[in-house]
Amino acid sequence: MSLLTRALQSGDEYLAAAVHPAVLPTQRQSLEKLLFATSRGKRQLAAAPYAPASLLEALASDDDPKVRIRVARNPSTPARALGRLAGGDASTALLSAIAAHKNAEPAILAVMQGMESPDIRAALCGNPKTPLKTLRALLPAATLAERKILAGNPNADAAMLRDLWDSGDIYVRAEVAAHPAAGPGLMDEAKRSLDPLVRRMLAANPAVTQDTLVALLSDPEAAVRAAAVRHLAPDDHAPERLASDPSSTVRRAEARHFTLPASAAARLAGDRDHWVRRWLARNPGTPDFVLRRLASDPESEVRRGVGRNRSCAVDLLRELAQDPVPWVRAGVALREDAPVDILHRLGEQSDIDVISAVGRNARTPPSILERIVRHENADVRRAVILNKRAPRSALEAVLEDPYPLNRALLARHPSLSFADLETMLRDPEPQVRFTAADALVKRPRPN
Amino acid sequence: MKILVPVKQISVVDEDFELRADGKDVDPDYLDTEANEWDDYSYEAALEIMEAADGDVEVVPVTVGPDDAEDVLRRCLAKGGDRGIRVWDDDLVDATPAAIAKVLAKVVAKEQPDLVFTGTLSSDRSFAQTGVSLAAELGWPHVAVVTGIDWKPGDPKATLKRELEGGLIEEVSVECPAVLTIQLGINTPRYASLRGVKQAKEKPVQEWSLADLGLTGAELAAGASFRVRRMYKPETGRAELIEGTTAEQAARLAAIINELRGAA
Amino acid sequence: MPVASFQSDVYEAAVLALAEARKPAVILFPHSVDTWGYAPAVAMRGGFGCATDVIDVKYDGGDLVAVRAVYAEKLHMEVDFPERETVVLTVRTNVFKPTEADGSPAVSEFAAPQTQARTEHITYIEPEQTGDVDISQAEYMLSVGRGVGEEENVEQFKELADSLGFTLGCSRPIADNGWLPKSRQVGQSGKTVVKCKVYVAMGISGSVQHMAGMKHVPSIIAINKDAEASIFTIAKYGVVGDMFEIAEELRGHFS
């Protein structure tokens, strides 16, 4: 039986919703008859995060304004449906939902630029899809609140930002200082600003020059120095000096820096602030000899960081796999480059974080997965369900998992057979039926 | 030995709802139904005792609700228990907790359980009255907000834990039969197996009207503990949306966080 | 530590006898664990009107009117008590401001009736202090969800929670990925944060499963870039914005 027939015969709305995008327009009508039977059902569908774009498009032409506004607020609604909504008899609330929508076409947003509703204006000021000419048109009459939003819009240009800088308060200027389009003149003014917030935002500006960042390294405010360190390119900073900065905020930022010289890393490895050591342990640029030292740090989160560091050597992983703290061992068990014998050993342990990590690991052999998937804890079983490399043999035990969410996630698993998915179409849980139907729709049929 | 577990189908309001024409409740078209969260815990507590007793204890879920409230009984029966009871009468629409307690007291009189477990409250109206009102109607001892139960068939008393403000736990005993209202977190409620869900469809649910229980709508209406005048959307919505740039939002958040934990 | 233990039978009998003798129009209780255990019984046995968790009280003409919140605080419900001489109200704590002035009540003694309690106090137990983090006991929490994006990003929220003195929690996908221990997972299949007073949800959209574990928290602060995220429907304070930028800024206020 085809999914379409099954949906129509069973009257199951969840099957019908899943099948809708995959059938011909004429067939859609029969599904819509079922799906749109009640206004309550339509409202729920219009707001549903799982509603397919085809259904949202159909609902965009609905007579009920409550349905239309939900479609406009649904993040999955496609541009075409938003265009249809804007073209019809649209309330201010509906238009402001469209004006705020990330899928709205710039052309639709441009049409709204003259509207006086504060909600529509605020939404247009903040939408990254709003074109520059519309932003410009909004600027002259913009309130302070609107200027703050405009200053954060990625499409604002240098001229607009200049206007905003000159007319705005400290918060507007801070936003301008962080804007990549601010240009050299504004950035220079920001550098000289007496307000640390403005200087700190400047240090976080992706377009700021290296010279400016180096200058900000000597800023009296620790937060500004920390922001500058974070964004500096490799060669231009003074790690030795920073590694002994009196502010732990600065040293933490330094410890995160990708190209940290070995001498600075060695010094930070002995820092009394454990967050400095945690960041260092996670830093893929931290040299091997420092990682080895951190692997025996008294703070278990530091050791966990080493185990999660992609630069951690295999022999060090072996060592960490023996750590007394389960969370450290779980970090090793999660690694796809962990030797299989380690996975074998960790897979026999009792800590649920450790065995879940083994269950989730794409390299774990099926025999271990088949055991883990029978665990009494639903979270542990789900680790195997979420393991995309798990073979069907490892999933058989969870086809009737009592936890509904586990079954719904299982329905997404590529190793399930068509027969498995078809059985799941009769699941008591709507989410499972929808997901199974959706998986069937999206999967190419074997010939 | 028998444990009766009153459970409830609760209503959840949809966004941008409308009120009913009389203004006294939400238009049913904007209400979704689900099982009351607390009842998962009370039913689990009963099932745990049943399983530990190995055949000596019967667990019976009961609900006061219209046809579709049968779902919450089936949901219970999918986890365990052999039969359920549903009481309904059109006169019970808008019934107060006092009226529900009177109805349940009649069910207790018929069923003669040793213990009654209710949820501490139901999350739609949040009265937290029904369990204790039922005990008062029966003249039974009762303990509310229970977080631990030690009882096996034949015990004249149950030993309980109840959690007080500030996390202090009191251990108390109560003479049986008794009504206990069960708090969230007392146990880890199970999920029904697919087989359980299928079997539950075949389990009998007795349906009783007010007349079957020897009650009348007029009698219950006279015993109503309050009358609803109206419902309305509070003027201040629930969420205060914090506006401004990120720096301003963070400053406001920091102030809110400090205020909430009394640091200031 | 309470000096005398609560016995519902004794409390009920005492309040009922007093009400019988003095015929008050209203009996006010705080909405607390103990009154959950006996105020409704007093009302039932005395045939009184009753409303619990009351947030406002007023008179409309001669009628006493109580206001209470329903449907997860989305609506308020106004109730009255026709033909009831006495009404029991349990009042939500912290919603009424204490008056500045002292009253001058006439205090008189009333002998409580002898009552045989059918419950018996055994002992008080201090909550267990476990070495492991138990989020179900945490009063202040910061939780991260899917919005955190990748494992490396989780670290800065741990750091933030640390500097706030908050306990870090997470939604299911984060624990499923192995980025935080399962003991930190809030919601269905994880833990219910029963003691939590302030819950900061960052990058959590608010699935049914997650909200099951925290929707009861009195002060929920939600930070999410999607203004339509369900979490905002239960939040007391909302920020529509980038969780990383907010975290970065917040850090400055707590270091």
Side-chain angles (χ1 to χ4, degrees):
Chain A
M1 195 192 322
S2 80
L3 270 175
L4 176 67
T5 317
R6 193 192 287 262
L8 292 172
Q9 281 186 3
S10 65
D12 185 334
E13 292 154 34
Y14 293 88
L15 293 196
V19 174
H20 190 270
V23 299
L24 299 168
T26 46
Q27 296 170 318
R28 281 184 187 174
Q29 280 174 7
S30 54
L31 289 170
E32 286 166 17
K33 219 168 169 178
L34 165 65
L35 286 164
F36 302 166
T38 66
S39 52
R40 172 205 189 80
K42 285 190 291 187
R43 284 197 311 270
Q44 281 174 346
L45 210 46
Y50 60 83
S54 64
L55 265 180
L56 292 169
E57 257 190 89
L59 287 167
S61 316
D62 198 83
D63 291 337
D64 184 349
K66 275 190 159 42
V67 171
R68 293 204 305 277
I69 194 145
R70 286 176 183 223
V71 174
R73 287 181 181 153
N74 193 320
S76 313
T77 299
R80 204 157 45 154
L82 292 170
R84 186 173 305 162
L85 285 165
D89 172 23
S91 66
T92 304
L94 181 66
L95 288 172
S96 55
I98 298 167
H101 205 289
K102 299 291 179 282
N103 292 344
E105 297 278 5
I108 290 177
L109 298 174
V111 172
M112 290 192 250
Q113 73 185 34
M115 295 184 178
E116 281 173 15
S117 148
D119 288 345
I120 296 176
R121 285 181 59 92
L124 289 176
C125 289
N127 196 329
K129 286 284 188 67
T130 307
L132 175 63
K133 71 173 172 57
T134 306
L135 295 179
R136 278 198 187 132
L138 289 162
L139 182 58
T143 61
L144 181 60
E146 288 166 357
R147 280 166 194 264
K148 284 173 182 168
I149 309 173
L150 280 172
N153 194 306
N155 298 332
D157 68 352
M160 271 189 75
L161 292 169
R162 163 55 69 188
D163 189 322
L164 290 164
W165 174 275
D166 290 341
S167 64
D169 66 1
I170 186 71
Y171 292 108
V172 175
R173 288 204 286 280
E175 291 289 288
V176 172
H179 203 294
L186 276 174
M187 289 204 202
D188 199 49
E189 281 183 58
K191 189 170 85 179
R192 286 182 279 110
S193 167
L194 294 176
D195 199 289
L197 173 63
V198 174
R199 302 198 303 277
R200 180 159 57 80
M201 296 300 261
L202 176 67
N205 189 324
V208 72
T209 64
Q210 290 296 302
D211 288 349
T212 304
L213 285 178
V214 172
L216 291 171
L217 283 184
S218 309
D219 198 281
E221 286 284 329
V224 179
R225 299 199 298 280
V229 163
R230 293 266 300 284
H231 298 94
L232 260 182
D235 316 327
D236 295 321
H237 60 303
E240 286 300 341
R241 183 164 58 81
L242 291 164
S244 51
D245 194 289
S247 161
S248 61
T249 312
V250 177
R251 300 197 307 279
R252 288 178 191 183
E254 181 64 14
R256 293 171 72 173
H257 207 285
F258 184 66
T259 51
L260 191 63
S263 56
R267 190 200 289 245
L268 289 171
D271 202 289
R272 65 189 143 70
D273 181 71
H274 71 100
W275 274 106
V276 171
R277 307 196 306 278
R278 282 172 78 161
W279 284 116
L280 193 63
R282 293 245 167 201
N283 188 337
T286 299
D288 183 67
F289 78 95
V290 176
L291 286 181
R292 282 173 198 278
R293 184 174 158 191
L294 293 170
S296 51
D297 195 281
E299 179 70 42
S300 66
E301 284 285 359
V302 175
R303 305 197 298 277
R304 158 98 185 175
V306 176
R308 298 302 302 142
N309 191 319
R310 63 180 145 89
S311 305
C312 181
V314 170
D315 66 307
L316 202 50
L317 282 182
R318 284 192 180 281
E319 201 178 296
L320 291 165
Q322 317 258 14
D323 197 280
V325 175
W327 185 234
V328 178
R329 303 197 299 275
V332 176
L334 212 49
R335 293 184 69 115
E336 295 196 9
D337 58 351
V340 171
D341 65 299
I342 291 189
L343 293 178
H344 265 282
R345 197 144 25 85
L346 293 173
E348 281 165 10
Q349 299 188 352
S350 60
D351 182 86
I352 59 163
D353 288 312
V354 175
I355 33 175
S356 299
V358 176
R360 184 95 205 234
N361 194 316
R363 291 272 303 275
T364 301
S367 60
I368 304 181
L369 295 181
E370 282 162 25
R371 187 160 41 76
I372 295 176
V373 82
R374 294 174 192 277
H375 199 277
E376 56 168 16
N377 181 310
D379 293 332
V380 176
R381 297 195 301 271
R382 191 164 60 251
V384 179
I385 290 170
L386 293 170
N387 186 339
K388 289 288 173 238
R389 304 286 287 276
R392 191 184 172 284
S393 64
L395 300 171
E396 214 164 319
V398 277
L399 283 169
E400 297 206 345
D401 195 297
Y403 187 39
L405 185 72
N406 279 7
R407 300 199 302 275
L409 292 168
L410 178 64
R412 294 249 171 259
H413 202 287
S415 301
L416 289 193
S417 68
F418 278 94
D420 294 333
L421 289 172
E422 281 178 356
T423 308
M424 292 177 111
L425 295 176
R426 291 188 298 270
D427 196 281
E429 207 59 39
Q431 196 191 357
V432 179
R433 300 199 301 273
F434 176 84
T435 317
D438 187 52
L440 281 170
V441 163
K442 289 179 177 152
R443 209 182 252 210
R445 274 265 162 196
N447 290 315
Chain B
M1 295 286 159
K2 192 189 288 179
I3 305 175
L4 192 71
V5 186
V7 296
K8 181 180 170 191
Q9 182 182 57
I10 61 155
S11 302
V12 181
V13 287
D14 207 350
E15 294 304 305
D16 52 71
F17 56 86
E18 305 270 347
L19 287 174
R20 211 162 69 182
D22 68 1
K24 293 183 180 181
D25 204 337
V26 172
D27 180 338
D29 200 30
Y30 292 87
L31 290 174
D32 285 328
T33 55
E34 56 183 56
N36 182 37
E37 193 186 353
W38 272 260
D39 304 341
D40 281 339
Y41 293 84
S42 55
Y43 201 70
E44 182 69 27
L47 289 179
E48 284 177 4
I49 291 172
M50 178 180 88
E51 286 161 355
D54 207 20
D56 278 353
V57 173
E58 184 189 12
V59 173
V60 181
V62 51
T63 194
V64 179
D67 291 0
D68 65 349
E70 195 180 297
D71 289 352
V72 293
L73 292 177
R74 301 275 174 212
R75 181 187 155 93
C76 289
L77 293 171
K79 301 177 188 178
D82 295 323
R83 65 187 176 94
I85 300 166
R86 184 171 69 84
V87 182
W88 189 242
D89 197 295
D90 288 341
D91 286 337
L92 285 166
V93 176
D94 297 334
T96 65
I100 303 289
K102 288 197 165 95
V103 171
L104 290 173
K106 294 291 186 188
V107 176
V108 169
K110 278 190 176 233
E111 288 286 325
Q112 299 287 322
D114 301 90
L115 285 169
V116 177
F117 293 175
T118 73
T120 290
L121 57 84
S122 57
S123 51
D124 50 359
R125 301 291 181 96
S126 309
F127 290 121
Q129 288 184 29
T130 307
V132 172
S133 302
L134 167 62
E137 180 71 13
L138 292 167
W140 283 15
H142 53 91
V143 177
V145 201
V146 170
T147 58
I149 303 172
D150 184 6
W151 181 83
K152 40 182 202 315
D155 288 357
K157 288 181 176 185
T159 305
L160 312 171
K161 290 193 173 76
R162 55 192 288 271
E163 196 168 304
L164 311 178
E165 279 88 0
L168 189 69
I169 294 161
E170 186 190 12
E171 205 169 71
V172 292
S173 67
V174 63
E175 292 171 15
C176 299
V179 178
L180 311 182
T181 83
I182 308 297
Q183 178 61 322
L184 298 180
I186 186 176
N187 50 38
T188 307
R190 71 193 69 190
Y191 291 95
S193 67
L194 289 184
R195 194 155 45 110
V197 172
K198 204 175 279 174
Q199 286 169 348
K201 289 181 183 152
E202 310 302 323
K203 292 181 181 175
V205 169
Q206 286 158 279
E207 294 178 6
W208 290 338
S209 66
L210 285 181
D212 292 333
L213 295 172
L215 288 166
T216 65
E219 183 183 343
L220 290 180
S225 48
F226 60 81
R227 180 180 70 178
V228 178
R229 286 161 63 107
R230 64 176 182 128
M231 273 195 201
Y232 57 96
K233 222 176 182 163
E235 271 172 30
T236 48
R238 190 141 152 74
E240 174 194 329
L241 215 53
I242 298 170
E243 309 272 4
T245 67
T246 307
E248 282 176 291
Q249 290 172 324
R252 172 91 181 102
L253 273 184
I256 290 168
I257 288 169
N258 281 328
E259 193 190 313
L260 287 173
R261 68 172 169 197
Chain C
M1 176 83 54
V3 281
S5 67
F6 167 72
Q7 306 290 348
S8 55
D9 286 332
V10 177
Y11 279 47
E12 278 168 44
V15 176
L16 281 165
L18 184 60
E20 178 62 30
R22 304 285 165 88
K23 305 271 184 233
V26 181
I27 308 175
L28 291 175
F29 297 86
H31 193 62
S32 70
V33 173
D34 282 349
T35 51
W36 286 22
Y38 85 107
V42 166
M44 197 74 180
R45 289 171 62 183
F48 305 149
C50 181
T52 44
D53 199 12
V54 168
I55 54 174
D56 197 11
V57 186
K58 52 197 171 189
Y59 276 94
D60 177 16
D63 296 338
L64 176 71
V65 176
V67 182
R68 51 191 312 288
V70 290
Y71 295 126
E73 316 272 323
K74 281 182 189 156
L75 283 99
H76 285 179
M77 169 199 227
E78 243 179 42
V79 298
D80 60 13
F81 312 91
E83 291 158 43
R84 298 289 179 172
E85 282 176 29
T86 300
V87 173
V88 164
L89 300 178
T90 75
V91 175
R92 189 181 289 187
T93 48
N94 299 331
V95 297
F96 293 91
K97 278 207 186 84
T99 55
E100 300 286 325
D102 287 339
S104 49
V107 179
S108 57
E109 291 201 356
F110 181 79
Q114 282 293 321
T115 312
Q116 185 57 47
R118 292 168 295 176
T119 54
E120 190 183 355
H121 170 77
I122 300 172
T123 184
Y124 289 112
I125 306 166
E126 289 289 344
E128 278 176 52
Q129 300 288 340
T130 51
D132 211 21
V133 176
D134 182 0
I135 58 168
S136 69
Q137 300 302 306
E139 292 188 326
Y140 300 98
M141 289 199 64
L142 185 155
S143 277
V144 292
R146 226 187 267 272
V148 78
E150 46 193 299
E151 184 182 357
E152 277 60 40
N153 295 337
V154 175
E155 212 63 6
Q156 67 205 69
F157 293 93
K158 285 190 199 166
E159 192 183 359
L160 178 64
D162 222 31
S163 59
L164 259 71
F166 278 33
T167 302
L168 186 73
C170 64
S171 63
R172 181 194 55 76
I174 305 305
D176 273 354
N177 288 343
W179 297 349
L180 280 174
K182 305 217 179 291
S183 59
R184 303 272 178 170
Q185 184 185 323
V186 176
Q188 217 179 72
S189 104
K191 290 202 171 118
T192 300
V193 293
V194 286
K195 296 286 176 56
C196 192
K197 293 176 179 160
V198 181
Y199 190 93
V200 183
M202 302 188 84
I204 293 176
S205 59
S207 66
V208 177
Q209 290 88 357
H210 186 75
M211 298 209 290
M214 46 66 75
K215 60 175 187 269
H216 60 277
V217 176
S219 296
I220 296 168
I221 301 174
I223 297 147
N224 201 295
K225 61 171 193 266
D226 174 13
E228 303 302 329
S230 324
I231 192 86
F232 288 118
T233 63
I234 59 162
K236 190 163 179 185
Y237 301 99
V239 174
V240 179
D242 182 297
M243 67 186 282
F244 296 100
E245 290 176 12
I246 294 283
E248 192 64 36
E249 288 299 317
L250 261 184
R251 192 202 316 266
H253 292 274
F254 294 95
S255 54

